Amino acid sequence: MPAPKVFVTREYPAVGLNRLLQECDTEVWPGPLPPSREVLLEKVKGCAGLLTMLSDKMDAELFDAAGDQLKVVSQYAVGVNNIDVEEASKRGIAVGNTPGALTDATADLAFALLITAARRMIEVHESIQAGEWKAWEPLGHIGWDLVGKTIGIVGMGRIGYAMAKRCQGGWGMNVIYTSRSDKPEADQNLQARRVSFDQLLADSDFISVHTDLNAETNKLFDSNAFEKMKSNAIFINTARGGIHNQPDLVQALKTGKIGAAGLDVTDPEPPAQSDEILHLPNCVVAPHIGSATTKTRNEMAEIATDNLLNALHGKLLRCEVK
Ligand code: DGY
């Protein structure tokens, strides 16, 4: 029997990719940029498996282009908002993702963004580079304290919990959160409290977003939400850029409706170089690097590869999205 045809939309860690190269008739899209939609529609033809990145749109048109033999879309990420999972299920195409592997790396990054924004590290660094460091400044570069403040977690899943744990355990913060359901583990271990969205906006000194992007969370943080936040609040988003309304966020940061922001995700991604979000002194932006550590990316590669090969061999996926 010929080896199943697989298309991999970007090179990913060798611990996973090498197995696909050995076991399947695998084509890997070369280079640092994703394939265009046109190329993608062409490349998926006749494939039994697709190894995808979060920027690849997987919808009915693409499944049609691939053909009936497509068995699995294995995403090298936990978020699957780029995939029409319902459409895939209707067609019997399994969808896999990589939850768990990136929890700590992403929570670390969320905390890094919080402390970077709070201590104004980017402004300070740029001012040094501009030759402005003349003396110790008794009144200069004043930032925010973190200890004992209130952190509002939007989405108390794995990553939200890991961020809350850092904030409560290390910095003695009070934890409040919004979530679809109560989270007894967070309530017991972190003395966390589930509150309404409006209460979270009003009471949080810092807000960190850890929910997935869906119809409910799309543009959840808009001018209305920023209006209800404390004027010195810090907004952190390491989940998906679509959860904040970016022009509204820019306005909120420029007009002092909120104090600062730390973003690992933007909308669109990447933003145009001229996008104001990249040029505000009170906003630190990272290029979606929450999971970018060696151990994490290797683990994600292992899971994504197992998911794809399992599906091709008619076995259960390690992590299936339904
Ligand atoms: C994910 O997995 O969804 C992250 O955003 C990227 O690793």
Side-chain angles (χ1 to χ4, degrees):
M1 215 169 66
K5 202 174 156 199
V6 166
F7 182 60
V8 179
T9 66
R10 305 280 285 289
E11 190 178 339
Y12 75 111
V15 284
L17 180 56
N18 286 347
R19 287 164 56 208
L20 289 190
L21 291 168
Q22 274 157 20
E23 295 191 33
C24 305
D25 171 10
T26 304
E27 180 178 359
V28 185
W29 179 249
L33 296 180
S36 67
R37 178 74 177 170
E38 213 179 14
V39 168
L40 197 55
L41 289 172
E42 190 56 39
K43 292 289 181 190
V44 298
K45 277 189 186 146
C47 284
L50 302 175
L51 195 305
T52 58
M53 309 292 139
L54 50 85
S55 46
D56 305 316
K57 191 168 181 209
M58 297 283 131
D59 56 6
E61 182 191 31
L62 187 126
F63 300 145
D64 283 342
D68 289 344
Q69 73 304 314
L70 183 63
K71 286 199 173 64
V72 57
V73 175
S74 175
Q75 171 101 328
Y76 176 65
V78 64
V80 290
N81 56 292
N82 56 311
I83 303 175
D84 187 339
V85 177
E86 205 181 314
E87 184 62 35
S89 316
K90 264 197 247 157
R91 296 169 184 239
I93 302 166
V95 175
N97 70 342
T98 65
L102 45 87
T103 301
D104 283 319
T106 307
D108 283 350
L109 204 265
F111 198 84
L113 289 170
L114 174 58
I115 203 160
T116 301
R119 299 307 300 270
R120 302 172 56 189
M121 291 308 295
I122 303 295
E123 273 177 87
V124 166
H125 185 69
E126 282 174 0
S127 115
I128 290 175
Q129 287 187 321
E132 289 166 7
W133 187 6
K134 305 292 183 206
W136 183 76
E137 292 190 37
L139 297 176
H141 310 305
I142 306 296
W144 283 250
D145 288 298
L146 299 186
V147 170
K149 294 293 174 71
T150 295
I151 178 85
I153 302 281
V154 178
M156 189 58 96
R158 289 184 190 84
I159 304 174
Y161 183 87
M163 173 63 169
K165 196 168 149 196
R166 283 155 176 73
C167 293
Q168 194 266 347
W171 275 260
M173 292 189 209
N174 308 309
V175 180
I176 56 178
Y177 66 94
T178 58
S179 196
R180 282 190 207 103
S181 56
D182 283 332
K183 300 289 174 180
E185 198 188 343
D187 301 353
Q188 277 153 31
N189 299 346
L190 309 176
Q191 292 80 53
R193 229 166 11 98
R194 185 173 167 218
V195 295
S196 68
F197 184 56
D198 274 1
Q199 193 177 345
L200 180 125
L201 295 175
D203 292 354
S204 299
D205 296 301
F206 316 124
I207 291 182
S208 193
V209 179
H210 301 285
T211 183
D212 55 343
L213 174 61
N214 56 46
E216 245 174 79
T217 62
N218 188 32
K219 309 279 185 286
L220 181 64
F221 282 86
D222 58 4
S223 54
N224 199 21
F226 294 125
E227 190 74 47
K228 293 176 181 164
M229 286 166 62
K230 294 185 182 178
S231 60
N232 59 352
I234 299 179
F235 174 74
I236 305 295
N237 190 356
T238 52
R240 285 293 181 267
I243 298 170
H244 62 249
N245 178 316
Q246 201 150 291
D248 287 2
L249 175 57
V250 167
Q251 276 316 305
L253 288 164
K254 280 170 75 173
T255 56
K257 293 265 180 267
I258 65 170
L263 307 175
D264 187 38
V265 289
T266 57
D267 185 24
E269 206 167 275
Q273 194 50 38
S274 58
D275 193 320
E276 280 189 280
I277 200 73
L278 299 180
H279 305 284
L280 297 172
N282 52 349
C283 185
V284 48
V285 184
H288 206 147
I289 56 166
S291 63
T293 70
T294 306
K295 173 176 168 282
T296 299
R297 288 282 167 91
N298 281 344
E299 251 176 76
M300 288 165 64
E302 298 264 24
I303 300 172
T305 305
D306 286 345
N307 282 342
L308 190 140
L309 292 175
N310 282 10
L312 294 187
H313 294 138
K315 294 194 211 151
L316 287 179
L317 278 66
R318 262 178 79 178
C319 308
E320 184 162 1
V321 185
K322 300 237 186 205

